[in-house]
Amino acid sequence: MLEIRDLRSGYGLIEVLQGISLRVETGEIATLIGANGAGKTTLLMTLSGQPRARNGSIVFDGKDITHTPMHNLVRLGIAHVPEGRHIFPRMTVLENLQLGAFACDPKNFADDLDFALTLFPQLESRMAQRGGTLSGGEQQMLAIGRGLMSRPRLLLLDEPSLGLAPLIVRQVFDTIRLINRERKTTILLVEQNAFQALKLSDKAYVMVNGAITLSGTGAELLGNSEVQAAYMEGGLAQTVPA
Ligand code: ATP
């Protein structure tokens, strides 16, 4: 579904992505893990067109989207939930969700809203509340819900668990699995919480200094001693209560 070949991009004189190649197949959850500053967010941002790719190609469903502007990607079926949520703080929860559906057939709105509220029932009683007054966890739910309102076939999720309490982290990961299963949405997930992310991933990549250094199934990387030492503190520190 998504094929990235030899992708390079960066900011000014700094080249962050040093020639990234990876594939995400239809229906799978693929995860990208890596240390702070490795370039994970830059990869998702480059997929969305900002910063622009300097070299290489991005193909989505057989179509070259390397230079497709961000607003057209939504119409093609790609939604990006950025790091730090970036909801519209002065708009209500409902307005944020409506914005997520701007490029879609209005016939689907009620169904899509229903699905988002089934995933995040906490939002239902807060539809008239301004986004900026939600808690961090609720804002993350709203950001994912807004991304889903465009019925994406590919969902790009950047650090959805960042800064959330363990129980909310668990809900977010459960929801990611549910979106993938129920809607058959393909997911490319960037995560610092390697243990939780690898557990639910079909495929995973490790990024170091803007290059992919390791790849395999989620289970393979979960069992890899280098990955455990570098990103999981033995897998114990990042475990959340059952
Ligand atoms: P984290 O897990 O901390 O979010 P990351 O792997 O997502 O890290 P990026 O945010 O992609 O890493 O950053 C990669 C490099 O690019 C870093 O050195 C960062 O300082 C630099 N960088 C990111 N955004 C910009 C920008 N807008 N202008 C200049 N440099 C940037």
Side-chain angles (χ1 to χ4, degrees):
M1 170 180 255
L2 179 72
E3 176 151 24
I4 299 171
R5 282 206 197 128
D6 197 25
L7 190 63
R8 290 173 185 271
S9 81
Y11 309 94
L13 294 176
I14 306 164
E15 183 155 280
V16 177
L17 302 186
Q18 310 276 340
I20 297 286
S21 296
L22 60 81
R23 287 173 66 95
V24 184
E25 309 296 341
T26 302
E28 73 180 4
I29 301 179
T31 290
L32 188 60
I33 58 172
N36 290 120
K40 306 178 298 298
T41 294
T42 301
L43 176 64
L44 293 195
M45 296 295 290
T46 306
L47 290 178
S48 288
Q50 187 61 36
R52 294 174 70 104
R54 295 175 176 177
N55 190 64
S57 64
I58 306 164
V59 175
F60 175 65
D61 267 355
K63 183 178 163 55
D64 189 320
I65 58 159
T66 317
H67 300 294
T68 303
M70 192 183 289
H71 56 273
N72 287 341
L73 294 176
V74 177
R75 292 180 210 280
L76 291 175
I78 301 176
H80 184 169
V81 180
E83 184 178 6
R85 294 136 208 175
H86 295 287
I87 55 149
F88 297 98
R90 297 174 71 86
M91 296 174 78
T92 67
V93 169
L94 178 61
E95 286 164 348
N96 270 276
L97 293 170
Q98 284 168 332
L99 261 183
F102 80 95
C104 304
D105 187 339
K107 279 204 310 278
N108 295 332
F109 183 78
D111 271 1
D112 292 339
L113 185 62
D114 228 42
F115 182 62
L117 294 179
T118 311
L119 293 177
F120 303 118
Q122 296 96 317
L123 295 181
E124 190 152 17
S125 57
R126 299 180 180 271
M127 295 300 258
Q129 187 173 328
R130 284 189 182 193
T133 63
L134 297 175
S135 72
E138 289 161 351
Q139 289 191 23
Q140 185 62 69
M141 291 169 200
L142 178 56
I144 298 175
R146 187 182 59 188
L148 290 174
M149 291 300 290
S150 64
R151 285 205 177 190
R153 286 179 295 125
L154 174 65
L155 186 61
L156 309 174
L157 287 175
D158 196 349
E159 307 255 9
S161 79
L162 193 70
L164 303 182
L167 282 176
I168 307 291
V169 169
R170 186 183 179 80
Q171 186 187 353
V172 166
F173 281 109
D174 286 348
T175 305
I176 293 169
R177 188 180 275 120
L178 207 71
I179 294 166
N180 174 254
R181 289 204 183 138
E182 297 274 312
R183 286 256 159 142
K184 314 285 177 231
T185 308
T186 306
I187 294 174
L188 177 54
L189 172 67
V190 159
E191 257 300 334
Q192 294 258 343
N193 192 331
F195 181 72
Q196 293 296 327
L198 292 176
K199 259 196 342 186
L200 59 74
S201 296
D202 300 295
K203 186 192 286 163
Y205 294 90
V206 176
M207 187 187 271
V208 177
N209 293 333
I212 301 292
T213 55
L214 199 60
S215 64
T217 64
E220 282 165 356
L221 264 57
L222 208 49
N224 180 300
S225 54
E226 282 173 42
V227 172
Q228 287 173 0
Y231 306 108
M232 287 191 280
E233 298 177 62
L236 298 174
Q238 310 214 23
T239 308
V240 295

